[in-house]
Amino acid sequence: MRRTTLIAMGAIVALAGTAGAQDDADALKVGMITTLSGGGAGLGQDTRDGFMLAVEQADRDDLEIVIEDDQRKPDVAVQISDRMIQQEEVDILTGIVWSNLAMAVVPGALARDKFYLSTNAAPAQLAGRGCDPNYFSVSYQNDNLHEAAGAYASQEGYENTFIMAPNYPAGQDSLTGFKRLYEGDLAGEVFTQLGQTDYAAEIAQIRASDADSVFFFLPGGMGISFLKQYADSGLDLPVVGPAFSFDQGILQAVGAAALGVRNTSQWSKDIDNQANRDFVESFEAEYGRLPSLYAAQGFDTANLLISAMDAASIDDPDAFREALRAADFDSVRGDFSFASNQHPIQDIYVREVIEEDGVFTNKIVATALEDHANAYVDECEM
Amino acid sequence: MALLIEQVLNGVQSGVMLFLMAAGLTLIFGVMGLINLAHGSLYMVGAFAAAAVASATGSFLLALVAALAAAAAAGALVEVLVIRRLYARDHLDQVLATFALILIFSEGVRWIFGSFPLFLDIPAALSGPVMLGPITYSKYRLALIGIGLVVALGLFWLTQRTRIGVQIRAGEADREMIAALGVDIGRLYTFVFALGAALAGLAGALVGAIQSVQVGMGEPVLILAFVVIVIGGIGSIKGALVGALLVGLTDTLGGVALPAALSLVMDLSAAQATGAALAQVGIYVLMAAILFWRPRGLYGHG
């Protein structure tokens, strides 16, 4: 079992040795539960590294972070959250990458009056009727990037798109999200198996259909497999998808097969603002690699938290909540505010995969949606 | 029609790759009576070795050689250090120990190569499509079918026509007797294990070029490979080949045909979701049906 405890300032350690009671009652304690081992570890690592970069830059002695690995398993995540809440007495939980883990952990944490700041997962259940005053999503609402892909497909004049996603809740939400803002017809609609590695059958279906474009949501390894096989199949229909299959962490594994593919994201390393330039530069200097979407989300989450700490104390939850709601921090995404259900209102961009100095990465080519919130705002009553 | 032929080729291609995994698994199960859950890890070792060598040398052929060598070496090492102690134990102990091996291999590979997937590409000579009459098909996938069939022939020759093959088959039938006849059973076991591991590593490298090379890539294939050897009959190479083709075809065609058939009676979205869900259980229904008909699998003994 991996356990990393990072204390923002060494001074606390020195104090703890002398008087036992001096357990720094004023420090705000954050429990980060994220995936650091197994197949999805890259995403959790980036989340952690982005978050910790902001924490280190703030250099505060009243902020303490506890990090644990959920192994991408809901039961493990629940155990960790119970321990963090009961023994570690954390004030705020954060870090979960996957929606099914978030659904296992978040409602329980909220019921015990903890804050949860989401660095990534933002299922519809927590945005609509299940919204909560202590739950904030700093990343997006899960449907957002798919909606943006649908809007972009219409803007590009695609009229017969073949759409595809794995057969699990996030996959079904993805196709629903795409169809919400897409105006054309569907050449085909296919659900693949979760974890599927071979897409020959689907590629044959695309070939046989009279599609003029392809939309797919296949996160992680599934997307790598599909793109390599698609590039090898000789098909050359334009492909569009959400950022998850084109993120910095996996682009190198897809290689040239991804070049030219359009993908939607609320962040890109070339968004032109000072906060983002500083973030990309300092992340690269600290970790020796380019930051990903997940790193940017972790970084923003930590900065939102720190901005709230400047304005209010966690001991006054109402004031602290108001301070979070104000979102008074320099987001790497530029303009950032919360909708009434505490999910972001933000621009969503279209990026194109390019090769730059021998590294595959993304550059912004269009804006798909401006100041976009989410479809669940009206269902949320707080 | 072209679509159907293309899908059949896809099924055959996924079947022969499954065969490479299942052949080793069935030999190890048949000869040593060992349930090796870590077989998928050897597949992963092959893929990572291939990706590392391909990026260092740029040669796909060298990458394949490296995959074979690395997986065989890892297999032999594991057999000598761990597996050897498990032959006399019951299956539960074997499952526990080989499950531990999965975790050790996964975290070991992650420790060496990091958490992000690696890049392994199709060799230039085999990339792109080829026209087969009316059908456009991937050259590389055709090559995979060819390689799989050649390996299958080689294995038949090895088990049926060579001295070591006689020993392997004798080991399946009666291990005390062949030990009494002076065959070094320990060495035979190490050889069989390394051979099985090498086949898994080869499959990992070949498939890695069109899929993603990442930690944990072997486990989904492992489950299918177990289904294959149960269908084919444990210990039978022929059974593994027939079983693998059956599973490959069922898996591929089921995923296409079921949603299409259901869309005649319900709307597209619902048909897709239901059809995809049904297709996932298709191979298990196949397995149950075959076991009902032949409880020891298609070519099982006794």
Side-chain angles (χ1 to χ4, degrees):
Chain A
M1 178 97 348
R2 187 188 328 271
R3 233 203 82 140
T4 328
T5 306
L6 281 155
I7 297 174
M9 273 276 279
I12 303 172
V13 181
L15 273 176
T18 54
Q22 197 75 325
D23 190 21
D24 203 41
D26 296 337
L28 186 151
K29 203 163 177 182
V30 176
M32 171 175 276
I33 305 171
T34 198
T35 305
L36 298 171
S37 64
L43 282 58
Q45 256 180 29
D46 272 358
T47 304
R48 176 196 63 193
D49 291 348
F51 192 94
M52 291 313 295
L53 182 66
V55 170
E56 277 155 31
Q57 286 175 357
D59 194 20
R60 299 178 69 111
D61 54 8
D62 58 349
L63 177 58
E64 191 182 334
I65 320 290
V66 190
I67 303 173
E68 289 211 38
D69 171 23
D70 60 31
Q71 304 165 35
R72 199 177 176 170
K73 294 181 181 141
D75 51 324
V76 176
V78 169
Q79 267 179 24
I80 295 172
S81 74
D82 285 343
R83 189 168 58 243
M84 281 182 169
I85 292 171
Q86 288 161 20
Q87 289 175 10
E88 308 266 1
E89 298 182 337
V90 300
D91 304 292
I92 292 176
L93 283 168
T94 186
I96 295 177
V97 175
W98 317 97
S99 289
N100 57 333
L101 272 68
M103 284 311 294
V105 166
V106 172
L110 297 175
R112 282 176 280 190
D113 291 329
K114 302 296 169 191
F115 282 91
Y116 188 90
L117 307 181
S118 182
T119 52
N120 189 59
Q125 292 95 323
L126 294 172
R129 284 193 195 87
C131 66
D132 190 282
N134 286 352
Y135 174 81
F136 290 81
S137 171
V138 190
S139 49
Y140 41 58
Q141 197 284 315
N142 277 358
D143 300 1
N144 285 164
L145 303 192
H146 312 292
E147 290 166 345
Y152 175 70
S154 293
Q155 286 165 23
E156 283 293 289
Y158 300 152
E159 285 169 352
N160 206 19
T161 302
F162 190 99
I163 63 175
M164 183 165 85
N167 191 25
Y168 78 123
Q172 289 146 13
D173 290 349
S174 158
L175 296 193
T176 311
F178 178 86
K179 287 188 275 187
R180 191 172 289 139
L181 297 180
Y182 173 65
E183 289 155 4
D185 296 326
L186 297 178
E189 179 176 355
V190 163
F191 283 112
T192 61
Q193 293 181 26
L194 189 59
Q196 185 170 326
T197 49
D198 201 305
Y199 293 91
E202 288 75 13
I203 289 169
Q205 280 175 278
I206 296 172
R207 198 198 303 280
S209 76
D210 53 353
D212 63 0
S213 52
V214 177
F215 164 80
F216 76 95
F217 164 58
L218 295 167
M222 293 185 277
I224 301 177
S225 302
F226 172 73
L227 279 168
K228 283 163 88 171
Q229 293 164 24
Y230 184 82
D232 186 49
S233 72
L235 278 171
D236 57 358
L237 302 174
V239 173
V240 59
F244 312 111
S245 303
F246 307 93
D247 208 41
Q248 205 57 52
I250 63 174
L251 268 183
Q252 315 316 315
V254 186
L259 279 178
V261 173
R262 302 291 168 96
N263 63 98
T264 51
S265 175
Q266 83 281 23
W267 176 81
S268 181
K269 79 176 190 358
D270 58 342
I271 293 179
D272 195 20
N273 65 59
Q274 192 59 43
N276 197 39
R277 278 192 293 272
D278 291 347
F279 163 64
V280 174
E281 192 181 316
S282 57
F283 190 94
E284 224 181 333
E286 179 81 24
Y287 303 108
R289 61 178 196 271
L290 286 173
S292 68
L293 179 65
Y294 305 99
Q297 290 168 178
F299 188 78
D300 265 358
T301 306
N303 279 327
L304 168 72
L305 171 72
I306 291 161
S307 76
M309 290 173 71
D310 285 334
S313 160
I314 188 76
D315 298 328
D316 181 356
D318 292 331
F320 194 79
R321 188 179 308 116
E322 278 314 310
L324 284 171
R325 242 179 231 154
D328 185 18
F329 71 105
D330 289 330
S331 169
V332 294
R333 289 166 252 181
D335 288 345
F336 180 101
S337 60
F338 282 116
S340 62
N341 63 349
Q342 300 181 168
H343 286 62
I345 299 175
Q346 58 191 345
D347 293 346
I348 300 178
Y349 303 98
V350 181
R351 311 186 298 185
E352 182 178 323
V353 180
I354 55 162
E355 193 174 0
E356 190 179 84
D357 308 329
V359 177
F360 294 99
T361 186
N362 285 287
K363 79 162 200 282
I364 293 178
V365 293
T367 305
L369 294 169
E370 278 180 31
D371 294 332
H372 186 61
N374 59 79
Y376 304 96
V377 171
D378 295 336
E379 287 175 30
C380 165
E381 288 164 13
M382 282 200 262
Chain B
M1 192 58 203
L3 178 65
L4 183 69
I5 297 173
E6 189 176 348
Q7 299 293 24
V8 169
L9 281 174
N10 288 335
V12 170
Q13 182 262 313
S14 92
V16 295
M17 285 300 109
L18 207 47
F19 166 72
L20 292 186
M21 277 290 278
L25 203 59
T26 203
L27 275 180
I28 291 166
F29 203 145
V31 177
M32 286 101 107
L34 178 96
I35 298 183
N36 179 26
L37 292 186
H39 207 63
S41 298
L42 298 163
Y43 174 90
M44 173 181 73
V45 166
F48 273 86
V53 169
S55 81
T57 66
S59 159
F60 192 71
L61 211 60
L62 279 180
L64 287 187
V65 172
L68 280 167
L77 191 71
V78 162
E79 201 274 342
V80 171
L81 290 179
V82 182
I83 305 288
R84 196 165 273 193
R85 285 153 237 284
L86 299 171
Y87 294 134
R89 312 284 280 270
D90 68 23
H91 284 327
L92 190 60
D93 290 355
Q94 297 172 353
V95 166
L96 269 178
T98 53
F99 184 71
L101 284 174
I102 294 184
L103 300 180
I104 293 168
F105 269 113
S106 290
E107 291 312 295
V109 165
R110 214 168 63 77
W111 186 58
I112 299 171
F113 294 99
S115 298
F116 299 100
L118 293 194
F119 176 65
L120 177 62
D121 203 8
I122 299 170
L126 291 176
S127 70
V130 63
M131 295 298 291
L132 298 171
I135 311 152
T136 318
Y137 201 67
S138 155
K139 264 189 231 165
Y140 186 73
R141 285 180 191 272
L142 271 186
L144 290 187
I145 296 177
I147 294 171
L149 294 178
V150 167
V151 170
L153 281 176
L155 275 178
F156 282 123
W157 175 78
L158 180 79
T159 52
Q160 304 300 326
R161 294 275 182 273
T162 63
R163 185 160 189 83
I164 192 120
V166 173
Q167 292 175 353
I168 290 173
R169 281 182 291 140
E172 275 176 57
D174 191 335
R175 53 183 108 167
E176 281 83 9
M177 186 56 88
I178 71 156
L181 287 173
V183 174
D184 183 344
I185 194 91
R187 256 205 359 234
L188 179 68
Y189 281 9
T190 310
F191 171 78
V192 171
F193 203 89
L195 175 68
L199 290 176
L202 177 67
L206 288 172
V207 169
I210 47 172
Q211 297 181 1
S212 66
V213 177
Q214 61 178 358
V215 172
M217 62 187 282
E219 274 65 62
V221 195
L222 178 78
I223 296 169
L224 286 182
F226 268 111
V227 173
V228 165
I229 69 169
V230 170
I231 287 178
I234 286 160
S236 164
I237 296 282
K238 200 202 237 167
L241 182 59
V242 174
L245 289 174
L246 273 176
V247 167
L249 285 168
T250 310
D251 203 28
T252 307
L253 295 179
V256 180
L258 279 170
L262 284 172
S263 66
L264 298 176
V265 292
M266 49 176 97
D267 78 275
L268 187 63
S269 286
Q272 280 299 340
T274 324
L278 283 178
Q280 288 181 32
V281 299
I283 54 164
Y284 300 101
V285 173
L286 174 76
M287 177 170 78
I290 285 174
L291 291 182
F292 186 72
W293 171 49
R294 297 189 78 126
R296 288 182 176 275
L298 292 174
Y299 297 95
H301 302 292

